[in-house]
Amino acid sequence: MIREVDVIVIGSGASGAAAAWSLSRNNSWRIVCIEQGKQANPSDYPSTRMDWELDRLDTFSSNPSVRKSTSDYPIDDSNSPISIANFNGYGGSTILYSAHFPRFHPSDFRTRSLDGVAEDWPLTYSELEPFFSENEKMMGVAGLVGDPAYPDYSSLLPPVPLGSIGRALAHGFNSLGWHWWPSYAAINTDKHGNRGACINLGPCNTGCAQGAKSSVDVTYLPAARLQGVNILTECRVLEIILNPKGLAEGVLYADASGSQHLLRARVVIVACSGIGTPRLLLNSKSTAFPDGLINDTGLVGRNLMLHPLAYVEGVFDVDMRSSIGPHGCCILSQQFYETDISRDFQRGYTMQVLRGAPPLETAITGYFMRHIPIGPDHHKIFTSVFNRTAGIAVISEDLPELHNRIELDLEHSDSSGMPGVKVYYALGENTKKMLKHGIDMSKRVLEASGAKVISAFAPVKHTGWHLMGTVRMGDDPKVSVVNKYGQAHAVKNIFVVDSSIFVTSGAVNPVATAQALTLHACEYLNKNLESLVG
């Protein structure tokens, strides 16, 4: 039984895995990564079976309230129009993510200076740029250099094939004179990192049995293990313990049998997601922090941001084979990403083109949307829709608001007896205006592409994948919880490295930026470990 190490990393998802790898390059350090979920076997992923869509509605659902695994914890999101999605297991939520992988924009770090909203980050895009590049080499990111919406990428794998549906939507954007670009995707389109290329199966969101999708169980974690990291699975951290000097002493965790253990460390790194991280911190109470660890300002759990989505779907007259290929990675448009004073909202959104739904989802969704009936005409109408649809997801920037928050749910606990969480979230007025605008513009694109719009609505309920802002970073300890390196203001040997430290949400998926922040923090930690515990 390990009783003392140099570094504990809590969580093996996108950021925890990157931290374990980065710090283990200093091979003199003893590092343990603790993960509350199991390690999955890719041969067990639903995509290896014909009935994979059924598993996506059950054991491989992104909704923990549906999965009800022993590694999950209760999440009461009844006070939110958006339900929370995550996955607790070896590799974290990257097992189920779509692998849409754009960076934040330079403007995302300066919203106060540029647009007078939210707050500026305590670091800039240029400071993170080398870490973006390092992360993309480790993960394997496909795309196309030269995007006018971004500073230049140094290199990328070839883009994911657009398919007929992507080419049709690209024509629509062109006809309107609007920006579009092949999606940035953490998917091998060529051999990379000893992993094969994508074979266009499509069910990326249930785990990639091919190993082409860059989930961290096939990128960072194997490399971290080769560098000596010990990964404990099915072990839940219940509390971070402080010593009499006010530093983190280590963690109390429960193993799969329920036995509890104290593991001491010189540094504790928390990477449990924008909802799991504040949950652990709030549960780590002491005389020094009676309201939760490093919560002396009351900001832990506050400023929750979720990227509310609008969805617009169109159907074409001909078979576009639209269900073929990575569902969330086709093309994107950032025509409306930056603030435009002629609009009635600040900041903006990304239009992410989604491929058509697979058969079961097409039938079920079509029935509930009342355009595919059950009865003698079912197959005829189903055939007129399946493989002919395209969707546009409007990923709106979500501005931070104090009342959007998570709290401990003391009435419901997980399998280890640790409290669950309650989510309190409401759409801001700015977000509502942005979503309406996004729906209107998406309709125009689909119609310009030759499709008939068959549904449009917002917010989409089951889309709470992007969990940000609940342990925000900043230079001023009075209005932030951690500094630009993720280091807690109040306890210098605790670091937070996931998307909970985001100051603003941008309007793109957060994983690439969260991992870049992690590598940036680890570079600092590599240089300063001795001073942190001296």
Side-chain angles (χ1 to χ4, degrees):
M1 177 65 65
I2 303 171
R3 299 190 182 280
E4 187 170 350
V5 296
D6 293 299
V7 179
I8 296 171
V9 179
I10 308 172
S12 70
S15 293
W21 170 79
S22 181
L23 294 176
S24 61
R25 288 183 288 180
N26 183 337
N27 58 20
S28 66
W29 291 356
R30 298 163 298 164
I31 300 172
V32 166
C33 179
I34 305 178
E35 168 56 53
Q36 63 188 346
K38 298 179 181 180
Q39 181 171 357
N41 185 339
S43 65
D44 294 331
Y45 287 158
S47 58
T48 62
R49 300 185 296 276
M50 293 294 291
D51 61 352
W52 65 272
E53 284 195 82
L54 295 176
D55 276 344
R56 192 171 67 163
L57 301 173
D58 187 22
T59 53
F60 276 80
S61 169
S62 62
N63 188 331
S65 298
V66 173
R67 285 194 312 269
K68 296 182 179 178
S69 165
T70 55
S71 62
D72 292 322
Y73 49 88
I75 298 176
D76 179 355
D77 51 25
S78 58
N79 289 298
S80 169
I82 300 170
S83 63
I84 301 301
N86 68 4
F87 184 77
N88 298 302
Y90 183 83
S93 292
T94 66
I95 300 298
L96 300 187
Y97 79 157
S98 294
H100 201 240
F101 216 76
R103 302 173 178 181
F104 269 32
H105 286 220
S107 68
D108 291 324
F109 300 90
R110 301 180 58 232
T111 61
R112 170 60 63 176
S113 298
L114 293 173
D115 303 310
V117 294
E119 298 295 336
D120 289 349
W121 292 51
L123 77 175
T124 64
Y125 178 94
S126 61
E127 288 177 75
L128 280 186
E129 199 282 329
F131 303 102
F132 277 123
S133 295
E134 182 178 37
N135 184 56
E136 287 150 6
K137 290 176 184 176
M138 283 297 297
M139 292 290 283
V141 177
L144 187 65
V145 298
D147 186 349
Y150 276 107
D152 284 341
Y153 281 70
S154 57
S155 65
L156 293 163
L157 296 171
V160 172
L162 303 188
S164 298
I165 204 71
R167 291 192 294 272
L169 268 292
H171 175 79
F173 280 109
N174 284 344
S175 70
L176 295 168
W178 292 355
H179 169 274
W180 70 270
W181 205 252
S183 290
Y184 301 93
I187 294 174
N188 279 8
T189 51
D190 200 352
K191 185 176 181 181
H192 177 83
N194 294 319
R195 295 182 291 118
C198 174
I199 57 175
N200 275 345
L201 280 177
C204 308
N205 301 93
T206 58
C208 178
Q210 174 75 4
K213 186 179 78 169
S214 301
S215 49
V216 293
D217 63 317
V218 296
T219 58
Y220 277 114
L221 290 176
R225 280 187 141 152
L226 286 174
Q227 292 169 178
V229 174
N230 189 349
I231 302 177
L232 306 179
T233 56
E234 299 183 75
C235 291
R236 176 177 278 116
V237 175
L238 304 173
E239 186 178 353
I240 300 171
I241 307 296
L242 297 183
N243 66 20
K245 296 181 180 180
L247 294 174
E249 180 178 1
V251 303
L252 179 69
Y253 73 90
D255 63 22
S257 70
S259 298
Q260 295 188 4
H261 310 273
L262 175 62
L263 178 61
R264 291 182 170 85
R266 303 169 74 191
V267 171
V268 175
I269 297 176
V270 189
C272 305
S273 87
I275 193 165
T277 288
R279 176 190 181 226
L280 174 59
L281 295 174
L282 291 172
N283 196 54
S284 300
K285 293 181 170 66
S286 65
T287 54
F289 295 98
D291 298 320
L293 185 59
I294 62 173
N295 193 30
D296 45 317
T297 59
L299 288 173
V300 172
R302 297 277 179 173
N303 296 301
L304 174 65
M305 297 175 284
L306 294 179
H307 277 163
L309 259 66
Y311 179 74
V312 183
E313 185 174 71
V315 62
F316 290 82
D317 290 335
V318 296
D319 188 339
M320 306 289 280
R321 293 176 56 82
S322 63
S323 68
I324 306 300
H327 182 73
C329 298
C330 186
I331 67 174
L332 59 78
S333 171
Q334 297 184 329
Q335 178 72 25
F336 305 103
Y337 195 98
E338 309 291 351
T339 293
D340 183 335
I341 59 173
S342 69
R343 301 195 292 259
D344 64 349
F345 57 87
Q346 293 165 303
R347 302 300 298 159
Y349 56 86
T350 292
M351 300 166 77
Q352 181 180 342
V353 173
L354 306 177
R355 300 178 198 268
L360 183 61
E361 181 184 341
T362 297
I364 293 174
T365 303
Y367 172 72
F368 284 111
M369 297 297 292
R370 298 183 179 180
H371 55 252
I372 299 181
I374 291 176
D377 292 332
H378 172 79
H379 289 92
K380 176 183 176 182
I381 298 177
F382 170 86
T383 303
S384 72
V385 174
F386 176 58
N387 263 339
R388 299 179 180 216
T389 60
I392 297 179
V394 177
I395 305 174
S396 63
E397 175 156 356
D398 198 10
L399 296 175
E401 297 183 87
L402 274 174
H403 59 82
N404 288 333
R405 67 194 189 279
I406 74 129
E407 297 177 355
L408 292 181
D409 183 354
L410 301 178
E411 297 178 358
H412 300 92
S413 59
D414 61 27
S415 59
S416 302
M418 185 175 174
V421 297
K422 291 183 178 181
V423 179
Y424 297 90
Y425 178 86
L427 293 176
E429 291 304 313
N430 191 69
T431 303
K432 293 176 183 177
K433 294 175 181 178
M434 195 183 301
L435 291 173
K436 182 181 183 301
H437 186 274
I439 287 175
D440 292 342
M441 298 304 102
S442 297
K443 287 179 177 179
R444 288 185 63 185
V445 172
L446 286 165
E447 290 166 354
S449 304
K452 175 185 176 183
V453 174
I454 57 174
S455 64
F457 56 95
V460 185
K461 183 173 179 59
H462 300 292
T463 55
W465 306 293
H466 304 162
L467 311 168
M468 300 163 285
T470 48
V471 189
R472 70 188 301 176
M473 65 160 62
D475 291 326
D476 186 350
K478 295 179 182 178
V479 292
S480 60
V481 185
V482 300
N483 66 16
K484 65 190 289 186
Y485 303 107
Q487 181 183 24
H489 293 305
V491 181
K492 67 178 183 178
N493 66 336
I494 292 177
F495 285 74
V496 180
V497 295
D498 55 44
S499 57
S500 63
I501 66 176
F502 283 22
V503 180
T504 54
S505 70
V508 293
N509 301 38
V511 176
T513 303
Q515 288 181 308
L517 286 168
T518 300
L519 298 178
H520 173 255
C522 289
E523 181 186 67
Y524 171 83
L525 185 51
N526 269 309
K527 295 176 180 177
N528 294 279
L529 178 66
E530 299 304 325
S531 65
L532 293 175
V533 294

